[in-house]
Amino acid sequence: MAKWWNKAVGEMSKLRDNIMGRFGISTGSVGSGYKLDSSRVDYEMAKKLYYNTHDDYKLGAGFAKSVINNTVSFMGIPEFKIVDKEAREILDTFFKNNISNMQRTIRDSLRDGDCFVWFTREEEEDAALYPEQTTRLVYNIIPPGQVKDILRHPLTGAIYEYKLVSAHEWEDERGDKKKATITQRIRKGERIIEVDGDNPPGVKSETIPLPWDFIPIIHFKNEGDEGLFGQSDIEPIEPFLKAYHDVMLHAMQGSKMHSTPRLKLKIKEVTTFLKNNFGITDPVKFAKDGGTIQLDGHEMLLLAPEDEAEFIEVKSAIGDAKELLKFLFYCIVDTSETPEFVFGVHTPSSLSSVKEQMPILIRSIERKREHFADSWKRLARIVLAMTAQSENIAFETFATELKWTNIDPRTSKEISEELLNVVNALKAALEANVISDESAVNFLSKFIDTMYKYEEEEGAGERERILKSLIAKTKMPDSAELEKELLEIIKQIGSDAA
């Protein structure tokens, strides 16, 4: 029993590097007993499970990619809203050019638990391809395994250094093999490079001053807490993936062994049986000559009244593996917070079950979005700060708000019916004088993306757009003069309100 228990425990939670977890970084006073957990995900194993290349999980790890990709697809990429128009244009342009990197950031964060984005401002190497920009901000995704340590202040917990370590091997012009270990320390205002071994081409030990008074690295930490590193979304379901693989493997092995039943014969007169069914008149000679009996083509056997024939079938002591696999499948569904219909149409998901699971999925996606919100906002601030300092631009503010694509599980018919009911209700309320035009427009703008609020802080609001539409519909000869007068009235109302 003890050996079985040790084996079972050894198969669980293999995604977590428990050796590192035995040590901690003290963040309190001496004797406080509080240590910061520095254990982290086994990144290489997480990738193997995601791509289903781990031999011990082959028949079960296929669920891992669906779990990660489903969340990434529903989360999407945020849009950045900022009051300063020039800053908004810079953010829009930059992030449109890095959509793939942003999607990869979310995917790597969910899969590996950690994703580190490092912004650098570099001269354009392919100047002939990008003549419009001589320097640009580069969106670098650091392999999480290279981040060996994150140094925090023992009292405030603020990060003051990222330590990156990478190994390099290459051949020089004579074919000699070279290797080196490069350590980088990224701090505020400086980048320290240390080379242990041979110097790679163009790299040497040095301290490079940086013009930034902040660390240009953002840590996207999935399911983060007070620990240094995040957790992978594959981590909670890893034991079930292993169990699914084992059950499936054993079921397939048993199928190969027992799917073809064995024939059991109880014959009283063997000579007569062999003669009637196989034409063997001398069984002794047939056996001495090494003859064998082939049942292929003998769909019918002739038996004497005393003879018996039956098939031997093996029955599992625990029953069919189908029920156990189904149980493990729903364990994966529940633990990963992924609806069962995501894994394919072969699952028995009725329309009602889909509707019941969609609200759970939406809440899970909203929680993930809020979890990464601070990292995305800090990323936007770094882009604006580096642009402002490099190009000598002054922005009104760096504060940004995130706008995510709304997840709507309803059909187009249901959406149109709800919009029609809302419009009719607002119309009835306006006619009964129980609601103002401003309240009605502001409420309706939540349902129609192309609508503005009744009054906007910048530019024309929905009120001005409605007035312009009314002028265009009248088609009066002096509509231009009327439009001019209405615009003057609107400006006067705005100045009076100010």
Side-chain angles (χ1 to χ4, degrees):
M1 180 66 180
K3 292 182 179 180
W4 175 87
W5 174 252
N6 291 334
K7 183 177 184 297
V9 172
E11 290 179 351
M12 303 303 176
S13 301
K14 289 186 176 180
L15 267 173
R16 179 61 52 169
D17 189 352
N18 292 316
I19 296 178
M20 293 185 64
R22 297 174 187 173
F23 306 95
I25 299 175
S26 177
T27 58
S29 60
V30 178
S32 64
Y34 178 75
K35 291 186 177 181
L36 189 63
D37 182 17
S38 61
S39 64
R40 57 202 301 184
V41 176
D42 186 340
Y43 303 123
E44 292 302 320
M45 184 174 180
K47 291 180 181 179
K48 288 181 179 180
L49 294 181
Y50 177 80
Y51 292 111
N52 198 12
T53 58
H54 199 297
D55 291 338
D56 294 337
Y57 293 79
K58 278 283 189 180
L59 301 177
F63 296 105
K65 179 175 284 190
S66 298
V67 170
I68 300 299
N69 289 356
N70 169 72
T71 307
V72 174
S73 300
F74 275 96
M75 283 186 64
I77 302 300
E79 294 182 8
F80 296 85
K81 298 181 64 177
I82 188 170
V83 176
D84 193 297
K85 290 184 178 180
E86 190 173 0
R88 186 190 313 160
E89 292 177 358
I90 291 175
L91 288 177
D92 290 343
T93 302
F94 179 82
F95 288 114
K96 283 180 181 178
N97 295 333
N98 290 279
I99 290 178
S100 60
N101 288 326
M102 296 173 69
Q103 280 193 337
R104 181 185 165 191
T105 299
I106 297 177
R107 185 202 64 182
D108 291 357
S109 301
L110 300 179
R111 182 192 65 196
D112 302 333
D114 303 290
C115 183
F116 299 90
V117 178
W118 183 6
F119 279 102
T120 58
R121 190 170 181 85
E122 304 174 5
E123 294 184 0
E124 183 57 59
E125 296 181 355
D126 300 326
L129 300 178
Y130 300 91
E132 69 277 4
Q133 53 185 6
T134 56
T135 59
R136 64 187 179 98
L137 287 179
V138 181
Y139 193 114
N140 303 284
I141 297 179
I142 308 172
Q146 290 187 9
V147 181
K148 293 303 180 183
D149 203 357
I150 303 175
L151 302 182
R152 293 175 178 265
H153 192 280
L155 299 180
T156 64
I159 298 174
Y160 65 86
E161 180 182 302
Y162 283 92
K163 181 180 179 181
L164 281 59
V165 179
S166 58
H168 294 268
E169 295 183 1
W170 72 99
E171 292 184 359
D172 59 13
E173 59 276 3
R174 296 181 298 181
D176 297 333
K177 292 185 178 181
K178 304 288 185 178
K179 61 180 180 178
T181 300
I182 299 177
T183 301
Q184 299 184 75
R185 300 179 181 272
I186 314 301
R187 302 172 180 173
K188 292 182 179 180
E190 65 178 2
R191 174 186 178 187
I192 303 174
I193 302 176
E194 301 172 354
V195 179
D196 184 10
D198 302 313
N199 286 334
V203 180
K204 62 180 180 179
S205 298
E206 60 179 333
T207 299
I208 302 176
L210 300 177
W212 328 118
D213 57 353
F214 53 85
I215 301 178
I217 296 178
I218 305 97
H219 182 190
F220 287 83
K221 182 168 60 173
N222 183 45
E223 301 294 339
D225 48 23
E226 66 277 2
L228 283 177
F229 302 97
Q231 297 180 353
S232 169
D233 280 357
I234 305 177
E235 201 170 345
I237 63 173
E238 179 266 333
F240 300 114
L241 300 181
K242 184 68 171 68
Y244 197 99
H245 167 86
D246 291 343
V247 173
M248 178 71 79
L249 179 63
H250 294 160
M252 292 176 62
Q253 290 174 344
S255 176
K256 289 181 179 180
M257 184 180 299
H258 306 299
S259 59
T260 303
R262 301 298 188 266
L263 179 62
K264 175 185 176 182
L265 295 172
K266 187 178 181 181
I267 306 300
K268 188 175 183 180
E269 284 290 339
V270 177
T271 302
T272 304
F273 174 79
L274 294 176
K275 180 180 179 181
N276 293 337
N277 294 278
F278 302 98
I280 301 174
T281 58
D282 190 350
V284 177
K285 184 178 180 302
F286 181 79
K288 287 182 177 181
D289 296 340
T292 58
I293 296 174
Q294 298 292 335
L295 294 179
D296 295 340
H298 292 272
E299 289 79 8
M300 182 178 65
L301 295 176
L302 300 176
L303 302 175
E306 299 83 0
D307 298 341
E308 294 180 6
E310 62 179 338
F311 285 102
I312 302 175
E313 296 181 355
V314 178
K315 294 184 179 180
S316 174
I318 60 174
D320 193 356
K322 177 181 178 182
E323 295 301 323
L324 183 54
L325 290 175
K326 185 177 180 180
F327 170 73
L328 291 173
F329 169 76
Y330 282 110
C331 287
I332 295 172
V333 168
D334 295 339
T335 306
S336 64
E337 298 180 340
T338 304
E340 57 183 294
F341 58 81
V342 170
F343 297 103
V345 296
H346 62 280
T347 56
S349 302
S350 62
L351 180 61
S352 59
S353 66
V354 171
K355 289 186 175 181
E356 290 172 356
Q357 294 176 54
M358 280 304 297
I360 301 175
L361 174 63
I362 292 174
R363 288 194 293 270
S364 175
I365 296 301
E366 290 177 348
R367 181 181 64 84
K368 287 286 188 182
R369 288 175 170 179
E370 294 172 357
H371 182 82
F372 288 110
D374 291 340
S375 298
W376 286 121
K377 290 180 180 179
R378 177 174 175 81
L379 187 147
R381 285 180 176 272
I382 289 179
V383 171
L384 294 176
M386 295 177 76
T387 303
Q389 188 170 342
S390 301
E391 302 181 7
N392 196 20
I393 303 175
F395 298 119
E396 181 180 345
T397 179
F398 289 171
T400 57
E401 295 295 331
L402 302 181
K403 181 181 179 182
W404 299 88
T405 303
N406 185 35
I407 304 175
D408 200 333
R410 300 171 299 170
T411 63
S412 57
K413 180 180 179 182
E414 293 172 339
I415 295 174
S416 60
E417 289 177 350
E418 181 178 358
L419 181 59
L420 179 60
N421 293 333
V422 170
V423 172
N424 290 335
L426 292 176
K427 180 181 178 182
L430 287 170
E431 292 176 351
N433 295 322
V434 296
I435 190 175
S436 65
D437 292 345
E438 182 176 358
S439 297
V441 170
N442 291 340
F443 184 83
L444 189 59
S445 63
K446 299 177 182 178
F447 295 85
I448 303 176
D449 295 336
T450 56
M451 283 187 65
Y452 295 160
K453 289 186 177 181
Y454 194 73
E455 291 183 352
E456 293 282 350
E457 295 181 0
E458 296 183 3
E462 195 64 28
R463 179 181 64 173
E464 287 77 6
R465 299 173 72 182
I466 293 174
L467 291 174
K468 289 182 179 180
S469 299
L470 290 175
I471 293 172
K473 290 178 181 178
T474 56
K475 297 181 180 180
M476 296 175 60
D478 56 345
S479 59
E481 292 295 330
L482 180 59
E483 180 180 0
K484 185 176 180 181
E485 293 178 4
L486 286 174
L487 292 176
E488 290 296 332
I489 295 173
I490 293 171
K491 292 180 180 179
Q492 185 63 34
I493 293 175
S495 61
D496 295 341

